């Protein structure tokens, strides 16, 4: 990681031309002692740096010197600056890399693109986790990431001990998953449930593996196994709009796409894939008077929910 840190320091100095050790340490999230060691290392390889003690002093890059960097377009610059997930990258051991990339952008882009990148960064932010949930603490995410970058096998304890070849890390709604090959099969592990992780010296040959495509296929297959039943319902226009908020998003989208034409009241019939009748009743009851069950069993369960709500909130025992 030292090489990326040295590059980050160089790009920051190229952008700022002069900064104190304390300022550099704060920006790169290292100690001042580390900054001085890195400055010495850069000087040894010919980077024209010098330090000036006292008030107004600092670490300076000789005027007019700059490294030759290219390959970043304005769109790529803006994209990197919209990555509002520094904490996530830091967890993967890429915090310094992000700082280096951003410093590289600011140091090499024309002033108009530099201003554009800053503007995008100020106005677009990525917040990965969902509402009302704290990100799960992943004790061994750093070890898993290191194994992934270096293509090294890792010994994990996930209910039982096993040795895996890490192929990818996926962040889904604030939850990290490890995708790994074990005994010739690709499997998924919830990273927070890995109780031990030990990096091994043995390396492995990474297969031709398309992580996004595999994850999309795996997620679709998982959803298909979870949504084992279907129910028929009628919903109002308002209920139709709210359906995605209370049930599985993809199942709701499929149901809406196949919904019948509105009747005289504006209500539509549709068939919805659900995990079970009990789960469906618990989800659909939140639509209140904007949903009607057409299946007798679901209708009975919704009625039970309605009676329970009425009795609990009215103080009476016999609903009208």
């Amino acid at each position: 990681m030292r090489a990326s840190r040295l590059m980050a320091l160089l790009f920051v100095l190229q952008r700022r031309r002069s900064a104190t050790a304390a300022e550099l340490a704060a920006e790169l999230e290292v100690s001042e002692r580390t900054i001085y060691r890195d400055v010495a290392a850069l000087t040894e390889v010919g980077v024209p740096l010098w330090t000036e003690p006292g008030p107004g002093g600092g670490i300076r890059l000789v005027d007019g010197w700059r490294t030759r960097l290219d390959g970043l377009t304005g769109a790529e610059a803006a994209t990197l600056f919209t990555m509002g997930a520094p904490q996530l990258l830091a967890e993967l051991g890429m915090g310094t890399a992000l700082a280096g990339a951003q410093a590289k952008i600011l140091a090499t882009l024309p002033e108009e693109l530099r201003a554009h990148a800053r503007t995008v960064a100020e106005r677009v932010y990525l917040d990965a986790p969902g509402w009302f949930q704290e990100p799960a603490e992943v004790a061994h995410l750093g070890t898993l990431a290191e194994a992934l970058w270096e293509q090294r096998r890792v010994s994990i304890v996930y209910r039982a001990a096993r040795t895996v070849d890490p192929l990818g890390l996926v962040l889904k709604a604030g939850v990290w998953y490890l995708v790994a090959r074990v005994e010739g099969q690709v499997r998924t592990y919830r990273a927070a449930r890995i109780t031990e992780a030990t990096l091994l010296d043995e390396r492995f040959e990474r297969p031709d593996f398309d992580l996004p495509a595999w994850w999309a296929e795996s997620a679709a297959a998982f959803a298909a196994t979870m949504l084992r039943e279907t129910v028929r319902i009628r919903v109002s226009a308002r209920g139709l709009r709210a359906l995605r908020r209370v049930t599985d998003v993809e199942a709701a989208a499929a149901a809406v796409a196949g919904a019948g034409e509105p009747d005289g009241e504006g209500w539509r019939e549709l068939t919805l894939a659900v995990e079970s009748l009990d789960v469906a009743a618990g989800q659909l009851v939140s639509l209140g008077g904007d949903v009607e069950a057409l299946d007798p069993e679901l209708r009975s369960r919704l009625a039970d929910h309605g009676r329970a709500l009425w009795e609990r909130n009215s103080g009476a025992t016999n609903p009208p």
Side-chain angles (χ1 to χ4, degrees), residues 235-257:
V235 293
S236 67
R238 183 169 59 183
L240 193 73
R241 292 192 299 269
L243 193 63
R244 296 181 188 224
R245 296 201 304 269
V246 301
T247 65
D248 179 84
V249 174
E250 293 182 0
V256 170

PDB file of all heavy atoms in Angstrom, residues 235-257:
ATOM      1  N   VAL A 235     -56.350  -3.752  -6.350  1.00  0.00           N
ATOM      2  CA  VAL A 235     -55.795  -2.570  -5.682  1.00  0.00           C
ATOM      3  C   VAL A 235     -56.310  -1.314  -6.360  1.00  0.00           C
ATOM      4  O   VAL A 235     -56.599  -1.299  -7.566  1.00  0.00           O
ATOM      5  CB  VAL A 235     -54.246  -2.564  -5.697  1.00  0.00           C
ATOM      6  CG1 VAL A 235     -53.694  -3.680  -4.840  1.00  0.00           C
ATOM      7  CG2 VAL A 235     -53.716  -2.669  -7.118  1.00  0.00           C
ATOM      8  N   SER A 236     -56.425  -0.275  -5.557  1.00  0.00           N
ATOM      9  CA  SER A 236     -56.793   1.036  -6.100  1.00  0.00           C
ATOM     10  C   SER A 236     -55.581   1.640  -6.796  1.00  0.00           C
ATOM     11  O   SER A 236     -54.473   1.094  -6.746  1.00  0.00           O
ATOM     12  CB  SER A 236     -57.260   1.955  -4.975  1.00  0.00           C
ATOM     13  OG  SER A 236     -56.155   2.255  -4.117  1.00  0.00           O
ATOM     14  N   ALA A 237     -55.779   2.782  -7.424  1.00  0.00           N
ATOM     15  CA  ALA A 237     -54.646   3.461  -8.073  1.00  0.00           C
ATOM     16  C   ALA A 237     -53.572   3.798  -7.045  1.00  0.00           C
ATOM     17  O   ALA A 237     -52.373   3.653  -7.298  1.00  0.00           O
ATOM     18  CB  ALA A 237     -55.135   4.721  -8.789  1.00  0.00           C
ATOM     19  N   ARG A 238     -53.983   4.232  -5.860  1.00  0.00           N
ATOM     20  CA  ARG A 238     -53.019   4.554  -4.807  1.00  0.00           C
ATOM     21  C   ARG A 238     -52.332   3.281  -4.322  1.00  0.00           C
ATOM     22  O   ARG A 238     -51.122   3.270  -4.083  1.00  0.00           O
ATOM     23  CB  ARG A 238     -53.716   5.259  -3.650  1.00  0.00           C
ATOM     24  CG  ARG A 238     -52.770   5.700  -2.541  1.00  0.00           C
ATOM     25  CD  ARG A 238     -53.458   6.619  -1.568  1.00  0.00           C
ATOM     26  NE  ARG A 238     -54.625   5.985  -0.943  1.00  0.00           N
ATOM     27  CZ  ARG A 238     -55.423   6.610  -0.091  1.00  0.00           C
ATOM     28  NH1 ARG A 238     -55.200   7.885   0.223  1.00  0.00           N
ATOM     29  NH2 ARG A 238     -56.456   5.979   0.444  1.00  0.00           N
ATOM     30  N   GLY A 239     -53.090   2.188  -4.164  1.00  0.00           N
ATOM     31  CA  GLY A 239     -52.492   0.930  -3.745  1.00  0.00           C
ATOM     32  C   GLY A 239     -51.506   0.402  -4.759  1.00  0.00           C
ATOM     33  O   GLY A 239     -50.473  -0.170  -4.396  1.00  0.00           O
ATOM     34  N   LEU A 240     -51.808   0.604  -6.042  1.00  0.00           N
ATOM     35  CA  LEU A 240     -50.896   0.157  -7.095  1.00  0.00           C
ATOM     36  C   LEU A 240     -49.564   0.890  -7.002  1.00  0.00           C
ATOM     37  O   LEU A 240     -48.497   0.288  -7.140  1.00  0.00           O
ATOM     38  CB  LEU A 240     -51.539   0.400  -8.464  1.00  0.00           C
ATOM     39  CG  LEU A 240     -50.865  -0.282  -9.652  1.00  0.00           C
ATOM     40  CD1 LEU A 240     -51.127  -1.770  -9.639  1.00  0.00           C
ATOM     41  CD2 LEU A 240     -51.363   0.327 -10.964  1.00  0.00           C
ATOM     42  N   ARG A 241     -49.622   2.198  -6.730  1.00  0.00           N
ATOM     43  CA  ARG A 241     -48.383   2.975  -6.603  1.00  0.00           C
ATOM     44  C   ARG A 241     -47.578   2.571  -5.379  1.00  0.00           C
ATOM     45  O   ARG A 241     -46.349   2.617  -5.398  1.00  0.00           O
ATOM     46  CB  ARG A 241     -48.708   4.468  -6.548  1.00  0.00           C
ATOM     47  CG  ARG A 241     -49.261   5.041  -7.839  1.00  0.00           C
ATOM     48  CD  ARG A 241     -49.283   6.559  -7.800  1.00  0.00           C
ATOM     49  NE  ARG A 241     -50.128   7.062  -6.734  1.00  0.00           N
ATOM     50  CZ  ARG A 241     -51.422   7.346  -6.871  1.00  0.00           C
ATOM     51  NH1 ARG A 241     -52.020   7.143  -8.045  1.00  0.00           N
ATOM     52  NH2 ARG A 241     -52.134   7.818  -5.865  1.00  0.00           N
ATOM     53  N   ALA A 242     -48.270   2.161  -4.310  1.00  0.00           N
ATOM     54  CA  ALA A 242     -47.594   1.843  -3.053  1.00  0.00           C
ATOM     55  C   ALA A 242     -47.106   0.403  -2.976  1.00  0.00           C
ATOM     56  O   ALA A 242     -46.355   0.050  -2.071  1.00  0.00           O
ATOM     57  CB  ALA A 242     -48.532   2.115  -1.874  1.00  0.00           C
ATOM     58  N   LEU A 243     -47.518  -0.422  -3.938  1.00  0.00           N
ATOM     59  CA  LEU A 243     -47.227  -1.851  -3.855  1.00  0.00           C
ATOM     60  C   LEU A 243     -45.730  -2.136  -3.760  1.00  0.00           C
ATOM     61  O   LEU A 243     -45.287  -3.011  -3.011  1.00  0.00           O
ATOM     62  CB  LEU A 243     -47.827  -2.568  -5.066  1.00  0.00           C
ATOM     63  CG  LEU A 243     -47.878  -4.091  -4.986  1.00  0.00           C
ATOM     64  CD1 LEU A 243     -48.766  -4.541  -3.835  1.00  0.00           C
ATOM     65  CD2 LEU A 243     -48.374  -4.672  -6.321  1.00  0.00           C
ATOM     66  N   ARG A 244     -44.906  -1.378  -4.489  1.00  0.00           N
ATOM     67  CA  ARG A 244     -43.455  -1.615  -4.485  1.00  0.00           C
ATOM     68  C   ARG A 244     -42.835  -1.305  -3.130  1.00  0.00           C
ATOM     69  O   ARG A 244     -41.753  -1.801  -2.820  1.00  0.00           O
ATOM     70  CB  ARG A 244     -42.778  -0.760  -5.562  1.00  0.00           C
ATOM     71  CG  ARG A 244     -43.206  -1.110  -6.974  1.00  0.00           C
ATOM     72  CD  ARG A 244     -42.478  -0.237  -7.977  1.00  0.00           C
ATOM     73  NE  ARG A 244     -43.018  -0.433  -9.322  1.00  0.00           N
ATOM     74  CZ  ARG A 244     -42.264  -0.556 -10.404  1.00  0.00           C
ATOM     75  NH1 ARG A 244     -40.956  -0.511 -10.304  1.00  0.00           N
ATOM     76  NH2 ARG A 244     -42.810  -0.724 -11.591  1.00  0.00           N
ATOM     77  N   ARG A 245     -43.491  -0.464  -2.346  1.00  0.00           N
ATOM     78  CA  ARG A 245     -42.935  -0.090  -1.048  1.00  0.00           C
ATOM     79  C   ARG A 245     -43.189  -1.150   0.021  1.00  0.00           C
ATOM     80  O   ARG A 245     -42.498  -1.175   1.035  1.00  0.00           O
ATOM     81  CB  ARG A 245     -43.515   1.247  -0.579  1.00  0.00           C
ATOM     82  CG  ARG A 245     -43.155   2.424  -1.460  1.00  0.00           C
ATOM     83  CD  ARG A 245     -43.299   3.733  -0.687  1.00  0.00           C
ATOM     84  NE  ARG A 245     -44.634   3.903  -0.137  1.00  0.00           N
ATOM     85  CZ  ARG A 245     -45.640   4.523  -0.757  1.00  0.00           C
ATOM     86  NH1 ARG A 245     -45.449   5.010  -1.973  1.00  0.00           N
ATOM     87  NH2 ARG A 245     -46.819   4.646  -0.189  1.00  0.00           N
ATOM     88  N   VAL A 246     -44.183  -2.005  -0.198  1.00  0.00           N
ATOM     89  CA  VAL A 246     -44.569  -2.932   0.873  1.00  0.00           C
ATOM     90  C   VAL A 246     -44.262  -4.386   0.542  1.00  0.00           C
ATOM     91  O   VAL A 246     -44.311  -5.244   1.421  1.00  0.00           O
ATOM     92  CB  VAL A 246     -46.064  -2.779   1.216  1.00  0.00           C
ATOM     93  CG1 VAL A 246     -46.355  -1.361   1.644  1.00  0.00           C
ATOM     94  CG2 VAL A 246     -46.964  -3.186   0.053  1.00  0.00           C
ATOM     95  N   THR A 247     -43.960  -4.694  -0.732  1.00  0.00           N
ATOM     96  CA  THR A 247     -43.645  -6.070  -1.113  1.00  0.00           C
ATOM     97  C   THR A 247     -42.301  -6.094  -1.832  1.00  0.00           C
ATOM     98  O   THR A 247     -41.650  -5.059  -1.989  1.00  0.00           O
ATOM     99  CB  THR A 247     -44.742  -6.650  -2.039  1.00  0.00           C
ATOM    100  OG1 THR A 247     -44.751  -5.905  -3.274  1.00  0.00           O
ATOM    101  CG2 THR A 247     -46.107  -6.559  -1.391  1.00  0.00           C
ATOM    102  N   ASP A 248     -41.891  -7.269  -2.271  1.00  0.00           N
ATOM    103  CA  ASP A 248     -40.655  -7.393  -3.039  1.00  0.00           C
ATOM    104  C   ASP A 248     -40.731  -6.496  -4.276  1.00  0.00           C
ATOM    105  O   ASP A 248     -41.721  -6.523  -5.019  1.00  0.00           O
ATOM    106  CB  ASP A 248     -40.447  -8.853  -3.464  1.00  0.00           C
ATOM    107  CG  ASP A 248     -39.187  -9.045  -4.291  1.00  0.00           C
ATOM    108  OD1 ASP A 248     -38.109  -9.184  -3.704  1.00  0.00           O
ATOM    109  OD2 ASP A 248     -39.301  -9.041  -5.537  1.00  0.00           O
ATOM    110  N   VAL A 249     -39.697  -5.700  -4.497  1.00  0.00           N
ATOM    111  CA  VAL A 249     -39.734  -4.681  -5.557  1.00  0.00           C
ATOM    112  C   VAL A 249     -39.915  -5.319  -6.927  1.00  0.00           C
ATOM    113  O   VAL A 249     -40.752  -4.885  -7.734  1.00  0.00           O
ATOM    114  CB  VAL A 249     -38.450  -3.834  -5.516  1.00  0.00           C
ATOM    115  CG1 VAL A 249     -38.411  -2.877  -6.703  1.00  0.00           C
ATOM    116  CG2 VAL A 249     -38.360  -3.058  -4.212  1.00  0.00           C
ATOM    117  N   GLU A 250     -39.136  -6.369  -7.225  1.00  0.00           N
ATOM    118  CA  GLU A 250     -39.209  -6.984  -8.543  1.00  0.00           C
ATOM    119  C   GLU A 250     -40.535  -7.717  -8.736  1.00  0.00           C
ATOM    120  O   GLU A 250     -41.121  -7.695  -9.822  1.00  0.00           O
ATOM    121  CB  GLU A 250     -38.030  -7.925  -8.750  1.00  0.00           C
ATOM    122  CG  GLU A 250     -36.689  -7.193  -8.811  1.00  0.00           C
ATOM    123  CD  GLU A 250     -35.527  -8.134  -9.072  1.00  0.00           C
ATOM    124  OE1 GLU A 250     -35.766  -9.349  -9.201  1.00  0.00           O
ATOM    125  OE2 GLU A 250     -34.386  -7.653  -9.151  1.00  0.00           O
ATOM    126  N   ALA A 251     -41.015  -8.382  -7.667  1.00  0.00           N
ATOM    127  CA  ALA A 251     -42.302  -9.066  -7.758  1.00  0.00           C
ATOM    128  C   ALA A 251     -43.426  -8.064  -7.994  1.00  0.00           C
ATOM    129  O   ALA A 251     -44.346  -8.307  -8.786  1.00  0.00           O
ATOM    130  CB  ALA A 251     -42.556  -9.870  -6.489  1.00  0.00           C
ATOM    131  N   ALA A 252     -43.351  -6.923  -7.309  1.00  0.00           N
ATOM    132  CA  ALA A 252     -44.363  -5.882  -7.488  1.00  0.00           C
ATOM    133  C   ALA A 252     -44.331  -5.336  -8.910  1.00  0.00           C
ATOM    134  O   ALA A 252     -45.381  -5.114  -9.532  1.00  0.00           O
ATOM    135  CB  ALA A 252     -44.153  -4.765  -6.479  1.00  0.00           C
ATOM    136  N   ALA A 253     -43.124  -5.122  -9.438  1.00  0.00           N
ATOM    137  CA  ALA A 253     -42.996  -4.609 -10.804  1.00  0.00           C
ATOM    138  C   ALA A 253     -43.603  -5.580 -11.812  1.00  0.00           C
ATOM    139  O   ALA A 253     -44.301  -5.169 -12.750  1.00  0.00           O
ATOM    140  CB  ALA A 253     -41.528  -4.350 -11.124  1.00  0.00           C
ATOM    141  N   ALA A 254     -43.343  -6.884 -11.623  1.00  0.00           N
ATOM    142  CA  ALA A 254     -43.902  -7.885 -12.531  1.00  0.00           C
ATOM    143  C   ALA A 254     -45.419  -7.923 -12.420  1.00  0.00           C
ATOM    144  O   ALA A 254     -46.135  -8.055 -13.434  1.00  0.00           O
ATOM    145  CB  ALA A 254     -43.309  -9.257 -12.218  1.00  0.00           C
ATOM    146  N   ALA A 255     -45.936  -7.796 -11.195  1.00  0.00           N
ATOM    147  CA  ALA A 255     -47.384  -7.822 -10.996  1.00  0.00           C
ATOM    148  C   ALA A 255     -48.055  -6.620 -11.649  1.00  0.00           C
ATOM    149  O   ALA A 255     -49.095  -6.739 -12.304  1.00  0.00           O
ATOM    150  CB  ALA A 255     -47.696  -7.860  -9.500  1.00  0.00           C
ATOM    151  N   VAL A 256     -47.449  -5.458 -11.490  1.00  0.00           N
ATOM    152  CA  VAL A 256     -48.011  -4.238 -12.077  1.00  0.00           C
ATOM    153  C   VAL A 256     -47.988  -4.329 -13.603  1.00  0.00           C
ATOM    154  O   VAL A 256     -48.943  -3.932 -14.286  1.00  0.00           O
ATOM    155  CB  VAL A 256     -47.233  -3.001 -11.586  1.00  0.00           C
ATOM    156  CG1 VAL A 256     -47.648  -1.754 -12.366  1.00  0.00           C
ATOM    157  CG2 VAL A 256     -47.450  -2.790 -10.086  1.00  0.00           C
ATOM    158  N   ALA A 257     -46.887  -4.877 -14.144  1.00  0.00           N
ATOM    159  CA  ALA A 257     -46.777  -4.996 -15.601  1.00  0.00           C
ATOM    160  C   ALA A 257     -47.855  -5.899 -16.175  1.00  0.00           C
ATOM    161  O   ALA A 257     -48.324  -5.684 -17.307  1.00  0.00           O
ATOM    162  CB  ALA A 257     -45.390  -5.523 -15.973  1.00  0.00           C
TER     163      ALA A 257
END
